[in-house]
């Protein structure tokens, strides 16, 4: 059993990770601005804002793995990157592991090629600012953290999100920072993404790197 804290634990990605981790018997804390309408057994829910330093520090205290599942949109636009910067400092000081939920645009089309996010004009305007903020975290911020911080950046498939409610398959593929491929574009359901993140935590095979998961 691992003590896992999910920052943004009631969002689309975060709630799936919380559910999967709890179902596997881990000790799970969900930290988020809002509490869920329905609570899961075995999960401790803490209401707080990731931009509140004291609240964030309290959420990290005593945990073994911290998962960042924040989305830089709406009220949090432009605030996620600095929040993760502070979170990385807190996690490093606590000697815990950090897992950050990323986006597909932060991947590369080929080894050594620029990330998809480098062509900002190709990203739909409604997602552009969000995609660029998330990409900067893995491109600039996480690699600059102290070597003792054990971090993992997990990007989902191209077709992933509340707009694409695929059914759980119970399986997934893992790639590196080069986007996995499939005819018609890769995809992964919310539950399968939660499964992938928790299994990656349990396997503990990837360190200070980016991975990509898809069906």
């Amino acid at each position: 059993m691992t003590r896992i804290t999910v920052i943004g634990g009631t969002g689309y990605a975060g709630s799936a990770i919380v559910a999967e981790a709890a179902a596997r018997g881990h000790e799970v804390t969900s930290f988020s601005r809002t509490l869920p309408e329905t609570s899961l057994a075995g999960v401790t829910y803490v209401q707080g804002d990731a931009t509140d330093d004291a609240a964030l520090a309290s959420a990290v205290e005593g945990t073994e793995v911290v998962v960042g599942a924040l989305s830089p949109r709406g009220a949090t636009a432009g605030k996620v990157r600095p929040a993760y910067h502070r979170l990385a400092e807190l996690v490093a000081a606590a000697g815990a592991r950090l897992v950050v939920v990323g986006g597909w645009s932060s991947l590369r089309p080929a080894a050594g090629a620029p990330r998809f996010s480098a062509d900002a004009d190709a990203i739909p305007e409604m997602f552009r600012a969000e995609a660029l903020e998330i990409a900067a975290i893995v491109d600039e911020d996480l690699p600059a953290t102290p070597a003792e911080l054990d971090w993992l950046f997990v990007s989902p498939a191209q077709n992933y999100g509340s707009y694409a409610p695929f059914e759980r398959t119970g399986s997934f593929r893992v790639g590196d920072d080069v986007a996995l491929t499939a005819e018609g574009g890769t995809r992964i359901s919310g539950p399968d993404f939660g499964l992938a993140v928790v299994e990656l935590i349990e396997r503990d095979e990837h360190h200070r790197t980016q991975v990509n998961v898809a069906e």
Side-chain angles (χ1 to χ4, degrees):
M1 182 181 67
T2 302
R3 295 188 301 276
I4 301 172
T5 295
V6 182
I7 309 298
T10 57
Y12 184 76
S15 60
I17 296 167
V18 165
E20 184 65 32
R24 288 171 172 253
H26 296 291
E27 185 178 324
V28 184
T29 297
S30 167
F31 176 91
S32 58
R33 291 184 300 152
T34 58
L35 297 176
E37 294 182 2
T38 303
S39 300
L40 295 178
V43 177
T44 300
Y45 291 93
V46 177
Q47 188 170 13
D49 195 314
T51 63
D52 182 330
D53 191 79
L56 197 61
S58 178
V60 169
E61 185 176 359
T63 196
E64 295 173 280
V65 179
V66 177
V67 179
L70 299 173
S71 297
R73 65 174 71 104
T76 60
K79 299 178 181 179
V80 169
R81 190 177 178 187
Y84 277 156
H85 179 80
R86 180 55 179 152
L87 183 62
E89 293 178 336
L90 293 168
V91 172
R97 294 155 55 196
L98 176 63
V99 178
V100 176
V101 173
W104 183 84
S105 295
S106 62
L107 294 165
R108 307 177 192 275
R115 301 180 190 278
F116 291 113
S117 57
D119 184 7
D121 291 340
I123 304 173
E125 187 174 357
M126 64 182 299
F127 301 121
R128 189 174 301 154
E130 174 183 347
L132 294 178
E133 184 171 356
I134 290 294
I137 293 167
V138 69
D139 199 35
E140 302 172 22
D141 301 346
L142 289 174
T145 58
E148 60 267 25
L149 176 63
D150 187 359
W151 59 266
L152 177 64
F153 189 91
V154 185
S155 289
Q158 185 174 11
N159 295 298
Y160 164 76
S162 57
Y163 66 90
F166 304 118
E167 295 294 323
R168 180 187 178 108
T169 66
S171 63
F172 60 91
R173 295 180 289 152
V174 180
D176 52 20
D177 65 348
V178 175
L180 295 167
T181 60
E183 186 175 351
T186 55
R187 56 184 259 177
I188 193 166
S189 69
D192 283 331
F193 185 75
L195 168 68
V197 170
V198 175
E199 285 207 4
L200 288 167
I201 290 171
E202 292 175 343
R203 295 175 189 176
D204 194 18
E205 297 172 340
H206 305 277
H207 306 280
R208 294 183 64 86
T209 192
Q210 179 180 15
V211 296
N212 171 211
V213 295
E215 290 181 7

